Amino acid sequence: PAAEAVLSEPLALDHLETLRAASLILCVGDGDAARFRMLDTMRAFSADLLAENEGAAALETRYLAFFQALAREAEAHLERDGHEAEVCARLDADVENLRLALNLSMRRDVADGLRFAGALWRYWLLRGRWSEAREALDRGLADDQSVPDDLRARALGWAGHLAFRLGDY
């Protein structure tokens, strides 16, 4: 689903299979649990190529939208379903993508980045990733200009809770 959404291409898996056959990416798992990974050298090379591509902004926008939606959906489930283990496992599988998307979001629009961080808040708390969460919130809270007061208040509450958990009184 991520590849199809980001590439905006119904045959995304065919393209990924071509790359896998050429040993440019790895496929880990099978069926619904299949995940595609790229070697770090290929990732760096691909990032350079993407930077030169005219369609990079649209691709980034779709990437960001997919992972923001994933975080919002997870947030809704973590707040009320009692399926924490399943939801957290799903986010664990995409943690690197979520980190990259969060950084992209913060660079593009700090308020949007803070909303994204807020969607990940409960996940970070459950997984004990308090320092990572606090760093993301602090980065967003450092920008006084573009964050609405209500969002700033919520983010300060989250950051305060994390500071307490981290023993930073």
Side-chain angles (χ1 to χ4, degrees):
E4 289 174 354
V6 172
L7 294 176
S8 188
E9 168 69 53
L11 300 176
L13 290 179
D14 292 342
H15 298 305
L16 290 172
E17 177 54 31
T18 301
L19 293 172
R20 190 206 57 78
S23 298
L24 296 174
I25 62 173
L26 304 171
C27 182
V28 180
D30 57 4
D32 289 342
R35 311 279 307 169
F36 291 94
R37 294 191 41 222
M38 188 179 294
L39 300 173
D40 289 339
T41 52
M42 288 306 300
R43 183 184 321 276
F45 176 71
S46 298
D48 290 343
L49 289 178
L50 184 61
E52 298 170 5
N53 188 320
E54 293 176 8
L59 189 67
E60 280 185 347
T61 298
R62 290 191 301 268
Y63 179 83
L64 184 56
F66 181 86
F67 287 103
Q68 284 177 326
L70 176 67
R72 284 191 305 271
E73 181 183 333
E75 175 188 30
H77 289 291
L78 289 174
E79 286 179 352
R80 65 175 183 264
D81 290 65
H83 297 253
E84 289 89 3
E86 295 167 28
V87 174
C88 286
R90 170 66 175 104
L91 294 178
D92 287 344
D94 272 311
V95 73
E96 291 302 322
N97 283 313
L98 289 165
R99 286 177 181 142
L100 183 60
L102 178 62
N103 288 334
L104 176 61
S105 183
M106 287 281 189
R107 279 196 318 269
R108 285 184 162 199
D109 179 341
V110 174
D112 197 38
L114 266 180
R115 283 186 205 88
F116 193 177
L120 293 171
W121 151 256
R122 198 170 305 278
Y123 164 70
W124 282 327
L125 197 63
L126 290 169
R127 284 302 195 227
R129 295 183 171 148
W130 304 340
S131 296
E132 179 179 359
R134 187 165 180 203
E135 179 184 313
L137 292 169
D138 287 350
R139 202 170 5 143
L141 287 167
D143 184 346
D144 289 337
Q145 305 301 327
S146 61
V147 178
D149 290 340
D150 63 328
L151 177 59
R152 176 172 287 290
R154 284 194 318 267
L156 284 168
W158 300 324
H161 185 94
L162 289 164
F164 177 78
R165 290 221 178 206
L166 289 165
D168 183 5
Y169 306 115

